[in-house]
Amino acid sequence: MNLNFNRKIFSRKTVGLLATLALAAGFAQAAEFKVESVSQQDGRLLNAQFANGMGCQGGNQSPQVKWSGAPAGTRSFVVTMYDPDAPTGSGWWHWVTANIPASVSELPAGGKLPAGALAINNDAGQPGYGGACPPLGQNHRYVITVHALKVEKLDLPPNATPALVGFMSWAHGLGKASLTLMGSR
């Protein structure tokens, strides 16, 4: 490659300016897509979102999740809640919901899913939400993520795992927004 030729076409300033503009455009798009929840207080899960069992006495109610600013071309969403601090070596999927229509921008607390949405088995092997229940004395992070997808629905087998939904969400993703809430007992 002839570096002298390339230097004549693109100066360092031009390359730097192009890189800055591309980075700014990416940040602007990422800043628009956001997720929030009223099912929290001061950044912590409410008791309603804790499990009712396994040593916890909560409401086992899925959190309210609302999102806005999805990328252009979004045709469906996937909503997940994941505990990266679970003592399993691989974290714990509390909630995975796929094939949420693009016209939906909120899931109510403990509410039923919109038509067409699919509740995936959580890591306890149950479809739908499985409440938080960190070991006594530990503070865990619960990451709620909304994935915007470029497909109307994921073609999933009946026994789809959270890992498969995650893989397919990345493969068909346009963007994602996350909110991390804390939980302890």
Side-chain angles (χ1 to χ4, degrees):
M1 174 152 100
N2 184 343
L3 293 177
N4 290 330
F5 176 75
N6 288 337
R7 284 187 187 146
K8 290 178 183 177
I9 296 174
F10 292 110
S11 71
R12 286 184 187 203
K13 283 184 179 181
T14 303
V15 171
L17 178 60
L18 290 173
T20 301
L21 290 173
L23 189 59
F27 281 135
Q29 182 177 359
E32 293 173 11
F33 191 22
K34 67 179 183 176
V35 62
E36 54 192 337
S37 177
V38 297
S39 297
Q40 55 94 18
Q41 183 175 15
D42 297 325
R44 303 190 68 74
L45 287 174
L46 300 176
N47 191 53
Q49 278 71 59
F50 279 79
N52 188 5
M54 297 176 53
C56 288
Q57 297 178 349
N60 201 48
Q61 182 182 85
S62 62
Q64 176 266 2
V65 179
K66 183 177 182 176
W67 56 92
S68 61
T74 298
R75 297 185 63 203
S76 68
F77 296 100
V78 167
V79 174
T80 65
M81 187 170 112
Y82 175 72
D83 174 1
D85 303 315
T88 64
S90 61
W92 189 269
W93 291 99
H94 287 273
W95 190 29
V96 178
T97 301
N99 299 341
I100 300 168
S103 60
V104 174
S105 62
E106 179 176 7
L107 296 178
K112 70 178 196 180
L113 296 178
L118 181 61
I120 304 300
N121 281 356
N122 56 41
D123 276 350
Q126 302 296 315
Y129 182 77
C133 190
L136 197 58
Q138 292 186 16
N139 198 22
H140 282 210
R141 296 169 289 162
Y142 297 92
V143 183
I144 298 170
T145 302
V146 178
H147 292 267
L149 306 181
K150 59 187 170 188
V151 294
E152 192 171 313
K153 69 179 219 166
L154 296 176
D155 185 20
L156 299 167
N159 61 346
T161 63
L164 177 61
V165 174
F167 177 82
M168 293 180 80
S169 294
W170 282 99
H172 299 290
L174 292 171
K176 69 176 187 147
S178 296
L179 169 69
T180 301
L181 302 176
M182 303 302 292
S184 62
R185 59 183 187 105

